[in-house]
């Protein structure tokens, strides 16, 4: 592939491989440092030798790429604070699992849950010892107390608990998500347990939050509706915490969620606006270098205010390079620019590699620059408006080619009307962002006229209405699409093969395309042969029982959930499992007193505590609805492999059963602690 002829792209690929290895395997930091230093020394020697040689060898390249892989492993280790002695997890009181006096600073305000306000905190001290590290703080909601602000410092007694994996298979793993942000523990407290410490220290995050709060306080004095204000915050300030669930789902279902994520589209428009505004500076002496400096400063100031998310960091890094090259009148290659921005970002934020937004944004841009010229040249028109609409469509479709495999893998749905919302909104997005920046500037200095505020609010409301209408066409929204990692990899191979075949109709391209088709078929066959079959899953469901029985690619579901919320939660658990397991048929079933699973037998004992084991000798016993039984007598009468207690039991009962089983040395599985129990037969 010609792309790999660019050295920076090769080095970036090696860095990515190194980051993936460093994250997947625990490599000691000291060993990693020795590796990089040794390879760097060999690299310098080989560089000096190769300069004097007329015939170049492959060894220089091999050493350079190996060093870059090891550098990727090192940056993962180096950014992981757990590798350093002053991380709070190394403190003796933490290791003894005792509640400690913790001094911490609010680092980030997260979207609140149903019962708790959530914050990411920097831990500064445990007792009197200075430590480092981040943690998740959950504060019980209380309308009498105001929410905490970034950079506020508090002292409290915290019990730092381990984050846990989801209790049911194929659910979103919040623990892994936070691990990638170097957050490993969480605490639950009440507002009255906090003691605020006076401080004048300000971090960059705190300054950015203060600016956002100031802008919002000014905006709230005008007649903006809550949904309009939430969208303005997302579009211009990169903050999506206040967007209602309904609005967010509308943008997702309409395929327009990228409009709310500050990314390359937004930053490119802002760069264009700034370039026009700063154009007069070029007429002064040293005006061009000054303009470059100001452009980069303004772009990074915007990135900071927008929260330095993966997408905005990627976009600002890339467009900073573009701005420098553009104003120095140097030719740039977009692939090189993308690779440089990715390389720089991953050096400072290696685990951005696993961020969904980071992946989607880079794949979309790579796809646009590769595929859009092909699609755009398929049809030409002399009418300016038609040309712009056609180009918007080709860019949108090109981006979808790049993100559809990984989007299906993460979200399992495809909005087939994505092009409608994009064609209507994107041509006007520059105007929307330009007016928005003017609105923010004027409101910050108390000069925003009401007619402009009403006009801009009307534009945002109209945009929400268009997106809402597109998302309401549910027949065009394809949901619950099973898509695994094999499909992702083979899907991208097929897309690359198709593009290559269109650009270059030769024997190799045709062979590559046919091989890619075979790989897709092989992935589908492998997935079909490895679907779960003959399984009984006892899911964890709080205050109720939920059992799934899989036979011949269909699942029979038994649940005693009565309330609407419980039913919705049950549906979510089952949907998540069946979609990711490629199970198409779901049937409702009634709970049976026993299950015969080939040579394995399961006895179910409910609140009545009635059971008969004279003719039925079970291998497993499921306890549900807190039955009042003599567990010792049950164990004596049977030769059991396992006793299982689901989420419908009282905690006091579970603790008593657990003690009895530990004493009798019989395996005891509590779904609320160990997760769903799967019996394969």
């Amino acid at each position: 592939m010609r792309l790999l002829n660019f050295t920076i792209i090769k080095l970036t690929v090696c860095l990515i491989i190194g980051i993936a290895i460093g994250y997947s395997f625990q490599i000691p930091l000291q060993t990693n440092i020795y590796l990089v230093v040794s390879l760097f020394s060999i690299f310098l020697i080989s560089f000096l030798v190769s300069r004097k040689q007329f015939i170049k060898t492959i060894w220089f390249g091999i050493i350079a790429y190996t060093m870059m892989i090891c550098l990727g492993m090192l940056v993962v280790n180096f950014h992981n604070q757990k590798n350093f002695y002053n991380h709070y997890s190394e403190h003796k009181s933490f290791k003894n699992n005792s509640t400690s006096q913790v001094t911490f600073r609010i680092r980030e305000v997260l979207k609140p849950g149903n019962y708790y306000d959530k914050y990411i905190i920097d831990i500064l001290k445990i007792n009197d010892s200075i430590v480092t590290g981040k943690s998740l703080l959950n504060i019980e909601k209380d309308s009498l107390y105001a929410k905490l602000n970034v950079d506020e410092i508090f002292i409290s007694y915290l019990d730092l608990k381990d984050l846990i994996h989801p209790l049911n298979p194929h659910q979103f793993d919040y623990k892994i998500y936070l691990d990638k942000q170097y957050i490993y523990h969480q605490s639950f407290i009440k507002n009255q347990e906090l003691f605020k410490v006076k401080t004048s220290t300000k971090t960059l995050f705190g300054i950015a939050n203060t600016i956002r709060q100031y802008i919002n306080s000014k905006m709230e004095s005008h007649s903006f509706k809550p949904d309009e204000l939430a969208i303005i915050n997302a579009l211009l300030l990169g903050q999506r915490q206040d967007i209602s669930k309904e609005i967010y789902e509308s943008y997702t279902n309409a395929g327009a969620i990228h409009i709310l994520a500050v990314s390359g589209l937004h930053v490119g428009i802002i760069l264009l606006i700034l370039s026009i505004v700063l154009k007069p500076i070029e007429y002064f002496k040293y005006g061009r270098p000054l303009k470059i400096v100001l452009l980069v400063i303004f772009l990074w100031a915007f990135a900071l205010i927008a929260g330095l998310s993966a997408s905005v960091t990627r976009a600002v890094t890339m467009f900073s390079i573009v701005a420098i090259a553009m104003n120095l009148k140097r030719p740039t290659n977009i692939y090189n620019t993308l690779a440089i921005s990715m390389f720089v970002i991953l050096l400072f934020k290696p685990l951005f590699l696993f961020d969904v937004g980071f992946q989607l944004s880079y794949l979309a841009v790579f796809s646009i620059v590769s595929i859009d010229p092909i699609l755009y040249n398929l049809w030409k028109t002399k009418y300016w408006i038609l040309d712009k609409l056609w180009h918007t469509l080709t860019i949108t479709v090109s981006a979808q080619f790049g993100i559809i495999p990984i989007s299906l893998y993460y979200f399992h749905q495809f909005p087939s009307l994505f092009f409608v919302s994009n064609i209507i909104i994107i041509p006007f997005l520059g105007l929307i962002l330009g007016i928005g920046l003017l609105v923010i500037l004027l409101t910050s200095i108390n000069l925003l006229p009401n007619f402009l505020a009403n006009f801009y609010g009307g534009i945002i409301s109209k945009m929400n209405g268009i997106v809402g209408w597109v998302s309401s066409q549910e027949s065009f929204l394809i949901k619950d699409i099973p898509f695994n990692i094999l499909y992702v990899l083979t899907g991208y191979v097929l897309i690359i093969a198709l593009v290559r075949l269109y650009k270059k109709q030769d024997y190799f391209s045709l062979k590559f395309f046919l091989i890619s088709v075979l790989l897709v078929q092989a992935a589908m066959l492998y997935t079909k042969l490895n679907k779960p079959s003959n399984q009984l899953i006892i899911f964890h469901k709080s205050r109720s029982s939920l059992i799934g029985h899989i036979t011949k690619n269909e699942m029979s579901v038994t649940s005693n959930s009565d309330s609407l919320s419980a039913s919705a939660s049950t549906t979510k658990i089952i949907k998540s499992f069946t979609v990711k397991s490629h199970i198409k048929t779901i049937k409702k079933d009634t709970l049976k007193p026993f299950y015969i699973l080939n040579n394995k037998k399961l006895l179910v004992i409910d609140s009545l505590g009635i059971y008969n084991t004279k003719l039925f000798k079970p291998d497993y016993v499921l306890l549900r609805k807190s039955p009042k039984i003599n567990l010792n007598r049950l164990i004596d009468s049977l030769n059991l492999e396992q006793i299982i207690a689901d989420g419908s039991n009282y905690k006091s009962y579970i603790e008593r059963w657990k003690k009895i089983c530990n004493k009798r040395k019989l395996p005891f599985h509590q779904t609320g602690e160990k997760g769903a129990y799967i019996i394969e037969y």
Side-chain angles (χ1 to χ4, degrees):
M1 293 177 65
R2 284 191 302 171
L3 271 183
L4 294 179
N5 291 334
F6 298 111
T7 303
I8 186 62
I9 293 177
K10 293 178 185 176
L11 294 176
T12 304
V13 169
C14 291
L15 183 71
I16 289 170
I17 293 169
I19 290 170
I21 294 170
Y23 179 76
S24 303
F25 302 98
Q26 294 296 323
I27 300 164
L29 179 61
Q30 200 169 16
T31 304
N32 218 163
I33 292 171
Y34 289 150
L35 266 174
V36 172
V37 171
S38 302
L39 284 167
F40 184 69
S41 302
I42 297 169
F43 171 77
L44 281 179
I45 294 168
S46 63
F47 174 72
L48 293 172
V49 171
S50 66
R51 284 182 66 186
K52 297 178 181 179
Q53 291 179 342
F54 292 104
I55 302 172
K56 303 296 181 182
T57 65
I58 63 169
W59 295 109
F60 178 76
I62 290 172
I63 293 166
Y65 300 140
T66 306
M67 182 185 70
M68 197 54 59
I69 290 171
C70 291
L71 180 63
M73 293 155 54
L74 179 62
V75 293
V76 173
N77 263 324
F78 192 74
H79 283 84
N80 187 355
Q81 293 181 353
K82 285 180 82 173
N83 288 326
F84 298 96
Y85 73 93
N86 60 342
H87 190 264
Y88 69 84
S89 61
E90 297 297 318
H91 196 272
K92 60 182 179 181
S93 64
F94 176 83
K95 288 185 174 180
N96 295 333
N97 295 319
S98 59
T99 302
S100 310
Q101 186 187 79
V102 178
T103 305
F104 60 88
R105 179 194 294 116
I106 304 297
R107 180 187 181 94
E108 186 179 347
V109 181
L110 302 178
K111 191 177 182 70
N114 293 329
Y115 307 106
Y116 293 94
D117 290 319
K118 297 176 179 288
Y119 304 89
I120 293 175
I121 60 173
D122 287 320
I123 297 179
L124 307 176
K125 284 184 180 180
I126 291 185
N127 297 329
D128 293 323
S129 303
I130 296 174
V131 295
T132 61
K134 296 190 291 184
S135 182
L136 179 66
L137 180 67
N138 301 274
I139 302 179
E140 192 175 297
K141 282 188 173 182
D142 192 334
S143 57
L144 297 178
Y145 292 87
K147 290 186 178 181
L148 311 186
N149 292 315
V150 177
D151 274 356
E152 288 184 331
I153 296 178
F154 296 90
I155 297 175
S156 184
Y157 282 91
L158 300 182
D159 180 13
L160 295 166
K161 298 179 179 179
D162 285 329
L163 292 158
I164 59 171
H165 292 288
L167 295 173
N168 292 306
H170 301 314
Q171 287 188 306
F172 174 69
D173 198 327
Y174 196 49
K175 173 180 169 58
I176 290 178
Y177 172 77
L178 290 178
D179 276 353
K180 290 168 184 172
Q181 299 181 51
Y182 310 108
I183 299 170
Y184 309 103
H185 301 92
Q186 63 178 337
S187 303
F188 296 85
I189 60 170
K190 297 180 180 179
N191 274 281
Q192 50 266 40
E193 297 173 22
L194 294 171
F195 176 75
K196 187 174 181 180
V197 178
K198 288 185 178 180
T199 179
S200 58
T201 306
K202 280 285 184 183
T203 64
L204 286 175
F205 292 108
I207 294 167
N209 186 68
T210 302
I211 293 170
R212 288 195 299 268
Q213 285 183 332
Y214 174 78
I215 291 169
N216 271 291
S217 66
K218 295 293 184 180
M219 297 280 279
E220 285 169 1
S221 63
H222 293 277
S223 56
F224 292 108
K225 296 174 184 176
D227 282 340
E228 294 169 0
L229 199 56
I231 295 299
I232 292 169
N233 265 285
L235 280 173
L236 298 162
L237 301 178
Q239 304 301 303
R240 297 191 286 180
Q241 296 96 323
D242 298 325
I243 299 176
S244 66
K245 185 179 178 181
E246 293 76 18
I247 293 290
Y248 190 85
E249 286 182 354
S250 291
Y251 276 83
T252 302
N253 295 340
I257 193 64
H258 60 281
I259 292 171
L260 300 183
V262 176
S263 58
L265 184 64
H266 302 69
V267 177
I269 292 169
I270 289 168
L271 175 61
L272 184 62
I273 293 169
L274 288 172
S275 295
I276 294 169
V277 171
L278 298 176
K279 181 72 174 175
I281 295 177
E282 294 182 12
Y283 298 109
F284 294 96
K285 189 178 181 180
Y286 306 115
R288 192 175 291 278
L290 178 60
K291 181 185 174 183
I292 294 171
V293 171
L294 289 175
L295 281 173
V296 172
I297 289 172
F298 286 146
L299 285 177
W300 281 101
F302 172 75
L304 179 63
I305 293 171
L308 288 175
S309 66
S311 58
V312 72
T313 304
R314 187 271 307 167
V316 169
T317 304
M318 185 179 72
F319 279 104
S320 295
I321 297 165
V322 170
I324 293 167
M326 186 172 64
N327 286 279
L328 289 176
K329 304 296 184 183
R330 297 284 178 87
T332 58
N333 180 285
I334 186 62
Y335 295 108
N336 268 344
T337 304
L338 284 169
I340 292 168
S341 68
M342 187 184 288
F343 188 89
V344 172
I345 290 168
L346 292 178
L347 276 181
F348 292 95
K349 295 282 186 180
L351 296 193
F352 267 11
L353 179 65
F354 306 103
D355 183 271
V356 180
F358 182 86
Q359 294 169 9
L360 289 173
S361 59
Y362 268 104
L363 287 168
V365 176
F366 269 115
S367 184
I368 288 169
V369 298
S370 302
I371 300 174
D372 177 61
I374 297 172
L375 297 180
Y376 179 63
N377 289 324
L378 291 176
W379 181 64
K380 294 289 185 180
T381 177
K382 61 182 179 180
Y383 299 105
W384 184 83
I385 294 177
L386 284 177
D387 182 66
K388 292 301 176 186
L389 289 175
W390 170 243
H391 203 190
T392 302
L393 177 62
T394 59
I395 288 173
T396 304
V397 173
S398 301
Q400 286 296 325
F401 269 110
I403 68 172
I404 191 169
I406 202 162
S407 181
L408 289 176
Y409 173 71
Y410 285 119
F411 308 115
H412 301 284
Q413 67 177 35
F414 178 68
S416 55
L417 286 181
F418 67 89
F419 61 90
V420 176
S421 51
N422 282 275
I423 283 176
I424 295 172
I425 295 171
I426 288 180
F428 302 101
L429 190 59
L431 183 65
I432 293 169
L433 291 177
I435 296 174
L437 291 172
L438 180 63
V439 165
I440 286 176
L441 178 63
L442 292 176
T443 196
S444 300
I445 55 177
N446 298 316
L447 291 177
L448 178 64
N450 285 327
F451 80 87
L452 184 57
N454 293 333
F455 174 70
Y456 192 61
I459 291 174
I460 299 298
S461 183
K462 188 67 69 177
M463 184 172 74
N464 289 346
I466 291 167
V467 171
W469 178 83
V470 174
S471 71
S472 67
Q473 313 305 309
E474 294 186 0
S475 57
F476 293 94
L477 178 63
I478 307 169
K479 292 185 176 182
D480 303 327
I481 304 170
F483 214 82
N484 58 28
I485 192 65
L486 268 180
Y487 287 1
V488 174
L489 297 174
T490 54
Y492 279 117
V493 172
L494 180 61
I495 290 169
I496 293 167
L498 274 169
V499 173
R500 181 181 175 84
L501 182 62
Y502 183 86
K503 286 184 173 180
K504 200 171 184 180
Q505 288 93 17
D506 57 10
Y507 173 72
F508 178 81
S509 298
L510 179 61
K511 185 170 71 173
F512 182 31
F513 171 71
L514 293 175
I515 290 171
S516 69
V517 172
L518 287 175
L519 287 174
V520 170
Q521 292 175 329
M524 295 173 71
L525 182 62
Y526 177 84
T527 301
K528 187 175 182 179
L529 293 173
N530 284 274
K531 285 181 183 178
S533 60
N534 298 334
Q535 285 185 352
L536 186 97
I537 305 110
I538 301 165
F539 294 97
H540 176 73
K541 182 74 179 69
S542 181
R543 295 187 292 277
S544 64
S545 296
L546 181 60
I547 298 174
H549 191 191
I550 302 171
T551 54
K552 297 179 180 178
N553 199 31
E554 68 175 34
M555 186 174 189
S556 301
V557 178
T558 301
S559 174
N560 67 337
S561 301
D562 299 321
S563 67
L564 185 64
S565 60
S567 178
S569 176
T570 298
T571 302
K572 188 175 180 181
I573 292 170
I574 298 300
K575 275 289 182 189
S576 178
F577 181 85
T578 53
V579 168
K580 293 185 180 180
S581 299
H582 296 257
I583 295 171
K584 295 181 179 179
T585 308
I586 305 171
K587 299 192 303 184
K588 287 188 177 181
D589 200 0
T590 55
L591 186 66
K592 298 177 178 64
F594 60 85
Y595 291 85
I596 299 176
L597 314 168
N598 287 345
N599 60 338
K600 297 180 180 179
K601 302 178 184 70
L602 170 71
L603 174 66
V604 180
I605 303 176
D606 61 15
S607 58
L608 298 176
I610 299 171
Y611 59 92
N612 187 345
T613 59
K614 290 182 180 178
L615 299 175
F616 183 80
K617 298 297 182 183
D619 302 289
Y620 307 90
V621 169
L622 170 61
L623 303 174
R624 57 176 296 270
K625 303 294 284 184
S626 306
K628 296 178 181 178
I629 59 169
N630 187 324
L631 190 59
N632 278 304
R633 186 185 300 164
L634 177 69
I635 294 170
D636 288 334
S637 63
L638 299 170
N639 183 23
L640 295 172
E641 288 185 24
Q642 187 99 35
I643 289 180
I644 307 152
D646 68 9
S648 65
N649 297 289
Y650 296 132
K651 288 183 179 179
S652 57
Y653 280 52
I654 291 173
E655 289 301 318
R656 186 171 73 248
W657 296 334
K658 189 176 180 180
K659 287 178 182 177
I660 292 170
C661 288
N662 287 339
K663 189 176 180 181
R664 302 292 298 268
K665 296 182 179 179
L666 178 66
F668 179 78
H669 186 97
Q670 174 193 350
T671 61
E673 183 181 282
K674 298 180 179 179
Y677 190 82
I678 300 175
I679 302 173
E680 295 186 356
Y681 62 95

